[in-house]
Amino acid sequence: MQQEPAFEYDTAFSRNLGWVTAEEQQQLRSKRVAIAGMGGVGGFHLLTLARLGVGAFTIADFDTFDLVNFNRQAGALMSNIGRPKAETMAQAALDINPGLKLSVFPEGMDPQDPAAFLEGADLYVDSLDFFAFEARRSVFAHCARHGIPAVTAAPLGMGAALLCFMPGGMTFEEYFRFEGHDEDEQALRFMLGLSPAGVHSRYLVDPSRVDLAGRRGPSTVMACQLCAGVAGSQALKILLGRGKIVAAPRGLVFDAYENRIRRTWRPGGNRNPVQRLSLAVGRRRLAALAQRPSPAPSPHTPVEQVLDTARWAPSGDNSQPWRFTVTGPDRCTIRGFDAREHDVYDMDGWPSQMSVGGLLETVRIAASGLGLRADIRRIDGSGRDLLFDVGLASSEETPDELYPYLRRRTVQRRPLSRRPLTLPEKSKLEEAVAPGFSVLWLEGKQRRRMAAVNSRTCKLRLTIPEAYETHRKAITWGTGSSEEGMPAGSLGLDPVTVRLTRTLMASWRRVDFANTYLGGTLIPRLELEVAPALACGAHFALLGHTAPRTVEDHLAAGAAMQRFWLTATSIGLQMQPNLAPLIFSSYAVNGRAFTTDRKGFEQAQEVSERLRALLPGRTLDRTVFLGRIGAGPPARARSMRLPMDRLLEP
């Protein structure tokens, strides 16, 4: 029978030597560290300091591991679900050093009297829940009275904020000044005191996930692990009595996402004039958050979950030409409609039909993400409406690889990188639309020719009253997001041009006057079309094997368009659709009147001729979609979607 290897302290921690001396390693072996909380940061603190060779710990936690802990906690494993955190992490530490002296408080630290918990501690490392303010005040006060150094390293975003409270120095209460304030104010004071610069708030992508009332907030494992490294380094210096300690009112904030390190100094803590100003601003922001409407209830049934994701499918000007009727937990009806009667861009309804095709493909992808298969069948509709019966069934297939990108896909109308697409990128995009469709790439000098086509199209769009009506309804001014239509910030215009455009678009008379007497459409054409058309990796045409003629052809084209777009997002590319040249070319080819402007039809013919000269042979007849693509950051301003309750029909 194989004998288990004997544990030898000196061998186990010999690789620490060099950064510490052999004598200092033995000093660490003789020290006791108290850690309250074995959750997000506490577990990492314990394991980090155990590997440093600290010989004794007092740990406390009353909670058990659950699935919601998996994103960040060291002990959160399937084998540990339901197990007490303190006892589980104690065993993990003993697996590192069987000779540890451990004192475990499985019922948690007594917040009213932490003396027993802190008995014999050479250092306290704070790992309490962010909102455990009374317990935190109590333990830090005891540390101050009894000369125990105390370290807190808070996980913020993807970084760590460090404060140390040393014997004889500024105390926790003197710095944060919680006394006499309610929990909301204490939360604000704790947050701003830890990180006066608020670096992490710059990349918070969903503020609704910060719920002070519900005592919940987002977290990352990177931040928790960084906390252990930062606090562990300070712990080493404190326990060995060497090195400079960052002690309150000085602090340290390191943010790995922003690639920044900040040394903070707030004399007087939260009484500091700068800090008091920050608190006042923070209170106003909290008050504004409190006035936000309550979020819509989360979808419960499988079909509600699928539709809630699928509604993020793209549509022209974010028109969302679909409505849903839920007929059961795994069944619904989708009604697609068009706007050909009042939208010049919806020629014969085929652009809307493509959007509906993109939605149906999104339904399939969304269902796969829930382990389901969407069976979609077209049924008879009234008039031009398209009706589809959707049934969901269990599936053993893996989720579609495009599922994670359904909500991330955006339109980027601003200039992109001119870096040519790589062969692997092109291959991935071409595979996304095969076998029913192919991709024609327009690169190099063809970008200039495409810029000329787009410029002519833009002039046409800006000089006919029919397009003005569509633009007036679609653009939402003064916001970075919009549930219906497009926010002005997403158009690709600079702020000055946005303000001027908003003034002009108050009426068609103003627009017509500006077109005639104030320089015409030159500036918006340059900003909206020419500059972006030149600044991209490539333009592309999505081609069918034959010219699209039926509703089914346009639905299939929409599905291919969505898979192409999602694939681009998945490989880090940005995209902008460009259907307008196709639409006006179709008007010209079919001899269809679409405007009261007498020059409009002539301009459409010119667009068609230039486009046909750009696309070889009879490629134009088979083109179902145009766009530009390239590397670059995603759009900051974006179109959102109508909430589910406005998309549902009886």
Side-chain angles (χ1 to χ4, degrees):
M1 185 173 182
Q2 186 175 1
Q3 186 177 3
E4 291 187 10
F7 178 80
E8 295 180 357
Y9 180 91
D10 291 340
T11 302
F13 303 108
S14 61
R15 296 299 290 270
N16 291 337
L17 302 182
W19 299 114
V20 299
T21 67
E23 292 76 14
E24 287 176 329
Q25 187 67 64
Q26 293 303 314
Q27 280 183 255
L28 292 172
R29 188 178 188 178
S30 69
K31 300 296 184 180
R32 176 175 289 274
V33 176
I35 307 173
M38 287 288 105
V41 294
F44 287 112
H45 284 323
L46 175 62
L47 300 185
T48 298
L49 293 174
R51 294 190 186 281
L52 186 61
V54 172
F57 293 95
T58 303
I59 62 175
D61 201 307
F62 59 83
D63 202 4
T64 58
F65 284 111
D66 198 356
L67 203 58
V68 295
N69 305 141
F70 273 48
N71 79 309
R72 68 197 184 282
Q73 298 192 11
L77 307 169
M78 288 300 295
S79 57
N80 288 338
I81 287 182
R83 294 186 62 194
K85 292 182 179 179
E87 295 176 1
T88 301
M89 295 311 300
Q91 185 58 54
L94 286 168
D95 280 347
I96 294 171
N97 180 0
L100 281 179
K101 298 175 183 178
L102 274 175
S103 181
V104 181
F105 285 65
E107 302 301 321
M109 177 194 69
D110 183 353
Q112 304 303 318
D113 185 11
F117 172 74
L118 290 169
E119 184 177 356
D122 298 293
L123 172 68
Y124 170 65
V125 178
D126 182 37
S127 305
L128 291 167
D129 182 88
F130 179 88
F131 296 99
F133 301 123
E134 287 306 312
R136 183 172 279 111
R137 290 180 65 194
S138 175
V139 70
F140 273 95
H142 185 95
C143 288
R145 288 194 301 269
H146 294 83
I148 302 173
V151 175
T152 184
L156 298 177
M158 300 178 205
L162 172 78
L163 283 171
C164 298
F165 297 91
M166 300 299 290
M170 190 176 209
T171 67
F172 181 91
E173 181 60 33
E174 288 171 343
Y175 184 85
F176 287 105
R177 300 192 176 273
F178 282 177
E179 183 69 36
H181 298 288
D182 62 23
E183 287 197 348
D184 284 349
E185 177 69 14
Q186 289 181 45
L188 180 62
R189 286 171 173 260
F190 193 44
M191 176 72 75
L192 290 179
L194 287 166
S195 180
V199 176
H200 57 283
S201 62
R202 298 171 188 170
Y203 54 88
L204 179 65
V205 294
D206 186 359
S208 69
R209 297 291 180 174
V210 179
D211 181 8
L212 293 183
R215 300 296 182 253
R216 291 189 302 273
S219 57
T220 69
V221 68
M222 298 85 78
C224 294
Q225 290 180 317
L226 285 169
C227 282
V230 171
S233 300
Q234 296 297 311
L236 179 146
K237 292 189 287 184
I238 292 170
L239 294 174
L240 296 181
R242 66 173 171 92
K244 184 177 181 180
I245 307 299
V246 180
R250 298 183 186 276
L252 184 69
V253 178
F254 171 66
D255 194 286
Y257 186 90
E258 288 284 311
N259 305 316
R260 296 181 68 181
I261 186 167
R262 295 288 296 272
R263 293 173 176 82
T264 61
W265 182 42
R266 288 295 183 269
N270 280 331
R271 286 184 61 187
N272 186 283
V274 174
Q275 202 70 351
R276 292 169 67 178
L277 178 61
S278 297
L279 287 167
V281 173
R283 291 186 197 104
R284 286 198 293 270
R285 289 179 177 174
L286 287 178
L289 288 175
Q291 298 300 317
R292 291 182 309 181
S294 300
S298 299
H300 297 294
T301 65
V303 74
E304 288 174 343
Q305 294 179 59
V306 168
L307 293 177
D308 187 53
T309 300
R311 66 192 174 96
W312 289 87
S315 56
D317 294 337
N318 195 28
S319 58
Q320 303 166 69
W322 44 68
R323 295 295 182 267
F324 312 133
T325 300
V326 175
T327 55
D330 56 4
R331 193 161 221 91
C332 70
T333 300
I334 295 177
R335 179 175 69 88
F337 52 89
D338 63 61
R340 69 183 77 183
E341 299 296 341
H342 55 81
D343 187 344
V344 71
Y345 296 114
D346 205 10
M347 179 184 179
D348 294 334
W350 65 261
S352 288
Q353 292 165 11
M354 280 190 62
S355 296
V356 173
L359 171 75
L360 298 179
E361 184 63 23
T362 309
V363 167
R364 296 185 183 98
I365 297 171
S368 78
L370 298 177
L372 301 170
R373 182 187 72 253
D375 297 318
I376 303 176
R377 178 176 60 90
R378 185 179 171 190
I379 56 181
D380 291 336
S382 58
R384 289 194 295 264
D385 284 355
L386 303 176
L387 290 183
F388 303 89
D389 176 72
V390 180
L392 301 177
S394 296
S395 173
E396 296 182 357
E397 296 184 7
T398 58
D400 194 302
E401 63 179 8
L402 299 178
Y403 175 73
Y405 305 98
L406 292 177
R407 293 176 185 259
R408 289 181 56 186
R409 179 209 55 79
T410 59
V411 178
Q412 178 55 287
R413 296 181 176 87
R414 297 186 182 276
L416 299 169
S417 169
R418 293 172 59 89
R419 170 185 71 79
L421 271 62
T422 65
L423 287 177
E425 287 172 338
K426 289 182 179 179
S427 296
K428 187 82 172 175
L429 292 164
E430 291 165 1
E431 290 170 5
V433 301
F437 295 84
S438 60
V439 182
L440 174 66
W441 301 103
L442 304 172
E443 304 171 283
K445 295 181 179 179
Q446 291 175 309
R447 287 181 301 195
R448 292 201 298 269
R449 298 175 65 189
M450 196 71 229
V453 170
N454 290 351
S455 178
R456 294 287 179 174
T457 304
C458 187
K459 181 178 180 180
L460 171 56
R461 298 171 68 179
L462 297 178
T463 54
I464 60 174
E466 291 79 8
Y468 162 78
E469 287 299 324
T470 298
H471 301 158
R472 182 180 62 82
K473 295 174 182 177
I475 299 174
T476 304
W477 302 101
T479 180
S481 63
S482 175
E483 290 183 348
E484 293 183 90
M486 303 175 295
S490 72
L491 297 179
L493 295 170
D494 68 72
V496 174
T497 307
V498 167
R499 289 195 291 270
L500 176 60
T501 303
R502 182 176 186 176
T503 300
L504 293 176
M505 288 195 67
S507 70
W508 168 248
R509 184 173 59 83
R510 290 186 183 182
V511 172
D512 192 39
F513 179 85
N515 288 338
T516 305
Y517 300 107
L518 300 180
T521 61
L522 179 61
I523 293 177
R525 285 161 64 189
L526 290 174
E527 288 191 30
L528 290 172
E529 301 294 350
V530 176
L534 296 175
C536 65
H539 294 264
F540 66 89
L542 190 60
L543 311 177
H545 293 330
T546 60
R549 302 188 184 281
T550 67
V551 170
E552 283 70 21
D553 291 339
H554 294 131
L555 293 174
M561 171 270 299
Q562 174 68 328
R563 294 198 70 84
F564 183 96
W565 204 335
L566 291 170
T567 301
T569 304
S570 74
I571 57 178
L573 299 177
Q574 306 301 320
M575 205 184 94
Q576 178 185 1
N578 187 25
L579 271 179
L582 278 181
I583 293 166
F584 288 118
S585 176
S586 295
Y587 277 124
V589 169
N590 291 285
R592 296 277 298 279
F594 61 93
T595 177
T596 57
D597 188 293
R598 58 185 180 83
K599 295 182 179 179
F601 190 79
E602 295 176 3
Q603 293 182 67
Q605 285 181 313
E606 184 178 358
V607 168
S608 181
E609 291 168 2
R610 286 177 175 267
L611 196 57
R612 192 171 293 278
L614 181 60
L615 301 176
R618 299 190 61 81
T619 301
L620 178 59
D621 300 331
R622 297 189 289 117
T623 301
V624 297
F625 191 78
L626 290 172
R628 70 182 187 102
I629 191 169
R636 293 184 178 180
R638 64 173 300 189
S639 297
M640 307 303 284
R641 295 296 183 271
L642 289 170
M644 279 294 295
D645 60 352
R646 292 186 59 186
L647 292 171
L648 292 174
E649 294 180 329

